Amino acid sequence: MTFEIPRIEDEFTPWLNILVEYGFKNKPFILGETFTIPILMNGSDYKSTTLTEFLENTGDPKVYLKDWHFQNQFGTSMYKLHPFFSRDFVNCEKWTTEKNKNPFGDDYRFVYIGTTGSWTKFHADVVSSYSWSANICGRKKWFMMPPGNERLFKCNFSESGFVEDIRDFPNLFEQAEVVTFIQEPGEIVFVPSNWYHQVHNLADTISINHNWMNSTNLHIVHKFLNQRKHDVKHELRDCLDSFQKNEFEEKVEELLFIDARLNISKFLQLCELVKESRSKSQHAYLCKVHSSDIWQCMLSPDCYHSITSICSCSKSFCSKCSSFIEQLEFSTMFSEDQLSKLYDCATTSKRLPNEFVDGEKDFKKIIQYGEYFKACQSSHSTDYIQKAVDLDYEEKVQLKNVVTKKLVEVSGKDDINWNVNIVIGNSHVAKSLRPIITIKMPTYEGETFEFDIDSFAQFRQQLASAVLAVNPQE
């Protein structure tokens, strides 16, 4: 059985067709279109050198100029991207040129130069990102397989946990559904998220490569980060007692970024940048099934025909497809406005708006969020969210932001924390052990009061009387 990668030879193929067929489905393809220093030694060791020195020694197949940030280094833009590749949150947004704003800290645009025989070992791209590779000159041989099938090439004798060269195991190719193909000069290969691959230069080759992500694979990147965060926590389990809870989370995030070149907090920062930049866009597309929640269309083949019929743009954007893709990018997560409306409905008797009911969002999630909103409103605190075990880090950040703003609107001050500690006091002047109640009051000075059990009961009675005098309905 042979497995082939599709080639798109027609330069007028509508880019929305490519988005639906390959972006939504996370499938590879080759685009037959021509675009108008670090080096890798022995396939594993990086070394810095000058371009002149590299070019003087181009006959050595063990040397491969790889991951050169050419555009970033020289401040130039050499090519115009196909619309499918231009929806790139990593390299093609206004924040990607400013290192202090870019969640990645750098761009992920590279130039590769390799002589005949140079190659990259079996691997998947960083942080479950997409990648594309465009041959300026030369030819490459690719080996690629669908996500999950890489398990057949696991081993215990390499740092990566996988064999370095899958060509040593041709008997596994059919079971692993290995796709083998030649990339010619001028062709662009799209590598979907988590598709393990291995690449060999059949001739002296120059290529341009991007790692990137957008609305169609954000959920895959998020899943990867959550899994790696779990792994980092597991690796640090013996050190848990050495940290305060917040310190431990910070250390996990720090190590996750070192390990994966991205972490949860920076991922959330990226999502907020995208949402903010798309918030003023015209959101006019309505799906017959999902209404304005078109992020769900990605997993609904019945919606694909409607999307591809929006326009027939192939090399640029019109107002229709531009509006659609920005709406898709904006709607991939609960927006702050939606969560704000959900808070209002959960804490009052208001009915949920149609965008929640008809949008077929995860009702269990909506109910869960609503319960937390009610608890936080009742306690005038975000503690319920902070302590929740069934919310991930991203959800906690989103929900706490909404609750904090709502509580400030009501009270004009930050969250109120009532800390009540009941201890057993052993006083030398007391005849026996007696309970002591310590209350840290929510005042500006953070005063602390101590009561014995009898005086605390009197205090509660007086407090209840005061509340009823102000608001009899309570």
Side-chain angles (χ1 to χ4, degrees), residues 119-296:
W119 60 293
T120 56
K121 297 177 182 179
F122 185 58
H123 70 285
D125 286 313
V126 60
V127 73
S128 289
S129 62
Y130 288 154
S131 69
W132 58 260
S133 176
N135 268 5
I136 305 302
C137 63
R139 303 169 74 239
K140 293 183 178 182
K141 184 172 184 178
W142 289 71
F143 300 87
M144 190 185 299
M145 65 190 63
N149 292 358
E150 71 277 0
R151 68 185 186 281
L152 297 171
F153 297 95
K154 282 188 173 183
C155 69
N156 298 321
F157 49 81
S158 71
E159 184 177 350
S160 69
F162 294 93
V163 301
E164 295 181 348
D165 190 349
I166 64 171
R167 294 177 303 173
D168 295 336
F169 304 89
N171 57 308
L172 297 176
F173 276 30
E174 182 172 349
Q175 184 180 354
E177 301 179 82
V178 175
V179 183
T180 305
F181 58 91
I182 305 298
Q183 180 187 11
E184 302 292 346
E187 292 186 332
I188 308 169
V189 173
F190 168 59
V191 183
S193 295
N194 298 328
W195 281 65
Y196 272 70
H197 51 283
Q198 183 174 316
V199 188
H200 298 255
N201 291 319
L202 302 180
D204 295 348
T205 304
I206 299 176
S207 64
I208 299 171
N209 305 264
H210 283 203
N211 286 100
W212 53 297
M213 61 185 67
N214 60 26
S215 57
T216 60
N217 73 333
L218 272 184
H219 63 290
I220 300 176
V221 174
H222 188 207
K223 181 178 179 180
F224 168 84
L225 288 173
N226 280 330
Q227 180 59 53
R228 287 303 298 132
K229 183 174 182 177
H230 173 78
D231 295 341
V232 171
K233 283 185 173 182
H234 182 72
E235 292 164 4
L236 292 178
R237 64 191 183 280
D238 294 336
C239 306
L240 182 60
D241 294 338
S242 303
F243 298 94
Q244 297 290 337
K245 185 174 182 181
N246 290 341
E247 291 176 340
F248 183 72
E249 287 294 328
E250 290 174 2
K251 179 58 67 174
V252 169
E253 284 284 280
E254 177 186 339
L255 294 177
L256 178 59
F257 184 77
I258 294 173
D259 173 68
R261 306 183 195 178
L262 189 64
N263 58 26
I264 299 294
S265 59
K266 290 183 180 294
F267 176 82
L268 291 175
Q269 179 187 349
L270 175 66
C271 292
E272 287 302 317
L273 287 169
V274 174
K275 287 198 294 184
E276 181 182 353
S277 67
R278 307 302 192 261
S279 61
K280 297 181 180 179
S281 303
Q282 295 294 323
H283 298 164
Y285 181 82
L286 291 176
C287 173
K288 294 180 180 179
V289 178
H290 305 112
S291 187
S292 60
D293 290 329
I294 60 175
W295 59 274
Q296 297 185 81

Side-chain angles (χ1 to χ4, degrees), residues 409-438:
E409 288 176 6
V410 173
S411 64
K413 61 179 73 173
D414 294 333
D415 292 353
I416 296 176
N417 292 311
W418 290 68
N419 297 320
V420 179
N421 299 313
I422 299 178
V423 299
I424 299 296
N426 186 1
S427 173
H428 293 292
V429 299
K431 292 183 179 179
S432 61
L433 293 177
R434 62 188 178 90
I436 301 294
I437 299 169
T438 303

Side-chain angles (χ1 to χ4, degrees), residues 308-319:
T308 56
S309 64
I310 291 174
C311 71
S312 57
C313 295
S314 58
K315 295 186 177 182
S316 60
F317 297 98
C318 69
S319 59

Side-chain angles (χ1 to χ4, degrees), residues 3 22 27 29 63 82 103 124 135 166 175 193 209 292 333 354 369 382 397 400 408 419 421 452 456-457 469 474:
F3 304 92
Y22 302 100
K27 292 167 53 179
F29 67 88
V63 180
H82 183 279
N135 268 5
I166 64 171
Q175 184 180 354
S193 295
N209 305 264
S292 60
M333 299 168 62
N354 289 336
Y369 288 177
T382 61
V397 171
K400 283 181 66 177
V408 170
N419 297 320
N421 299 313
D452 61 29
F456 180 65
E474 292 289 333

